[in-house]
Amino acid sequence: MAGGNRSQDEDVRVGVDRFPERQPIGTTAADDLGGRDYSEPPAAPLFESSELSSWSFYRAGIAEFVATFLFLYVTVLTVMGVSKSPSKCGTVGIQGIAWAFGGMIFALVYCTAGVSGGHINPAVTFGLLLARKLSLARAVYYVVMQCLGAVCGAGVVKALVGSALYQSAGGGANAVAPGYTKGDGLGAEIVGTFVLVYTVFSATDAKRSARDSHVPVLAPLPIGFAVFLVHLATIPITGTGINPARSLGAAIIYDSPHGWHGHWIFWVGPFAGAALAAVYHQVVIRAIPFKSSAHY
């Protein structure tokens, strides 16, 4: 207000999207009238017994199983093709492997988002659980189905290409590359998963969808692209896990000490990265309330 005195508490700068850029810690973004022009989904209960008797609950788990099965089948088969080629000129190389991972995530998230949310990754499920986007029972069910799908997908690849090639190519299993320490591998997995899960939160943000409704965004596209970019960066370090189900499925079917050496990195790293992304997006970026606040 020109010529008027405004207290520090009243000095709230509102951006062109009508959402304040300053709110007290722990409160959600809202317009200056106390309302919103978007709908914030309610927090999921920690346990909801009614969903255990719902067909939608079980078909969502089946969708996660099939999606993770297809994900491992195409991506590990791509790794086998690169390993089998006698020269780099006759193969898609690291870039092709990265495209296979990113492209499959794009396609599979697009296909399954309306059924299960299209997680296809225990780390994504864990991050969304921390953000109260799904119940604990559903999260555990998803992780089990994702791991089973990954094992089956890698198993079909081994049956298709033969045990000899599969074993000689390392089974697509993740491991810290020579020249890097376990700390390096853990750091790469944490940061890589942070990029992925942060992108998932941003691409599916209710506020963002309302604010950018004039610029339609296909959520699976940035998610798949994030997977592609992370693979380009970290394939030389760990083979890129950022998905505990993918790492577990390949390790079980490969069944070699090399596949299990440092396997904990591909669980601790992704889960830590997912937790950091959830906290960063919910607390810093979106300032989602931890407790109800009628006014501020």
Side-chain angles (χ1 to χ4, degrees), residues 106 110 199 202-205 208-209 211-223:
F106 167 67
Y110 178 83
T199 303
S202 298
T204 58
D205 193 329
R208 186 185 188 92
S209 298
R211 183 187 63 192
D212 298 336
S213 58
H214 61 291
V215 184
V217 176
L218 189 62
L221 182 58
I223 296 171

Side-chain angles (χ1 to χ4, degrees), residues 239-259:
T240 309
I242 68 172
N243 184 333
R246 172 261 188 272
S247 300
L248 179 66
I252 287 177
I253 300 301
Y254 182 40
D255 193 25
S256 168
H258 176 72

Side-chain angles (χ1 to χ4, degrees), residues 20 39 46 54 59 67 91 93 119 121 186 209 235 260 290-291:
S39 176
L46 188 62
S54 170
R59 75 187 181 103
T91 179
H119 298 188
N121 185 336
L186 181 62
S209 298
I235 282 178
W260 293 110
F290 292 107
K291 59 183 179 179

Side-chain angles (χ1 to χ4, degrees), residues 64 67-68 71 104-105 108-109 112 118-122 125 146 243 245:
E64 287 293 309
T68 315
F71 178 60
M104 279 304 289
I105 287 297
L108 293 170
V109 171
T112 61
H119 298 188
I120 322 169
N121 185 336
T125 299
Q146 290 158 359
N243 184 333

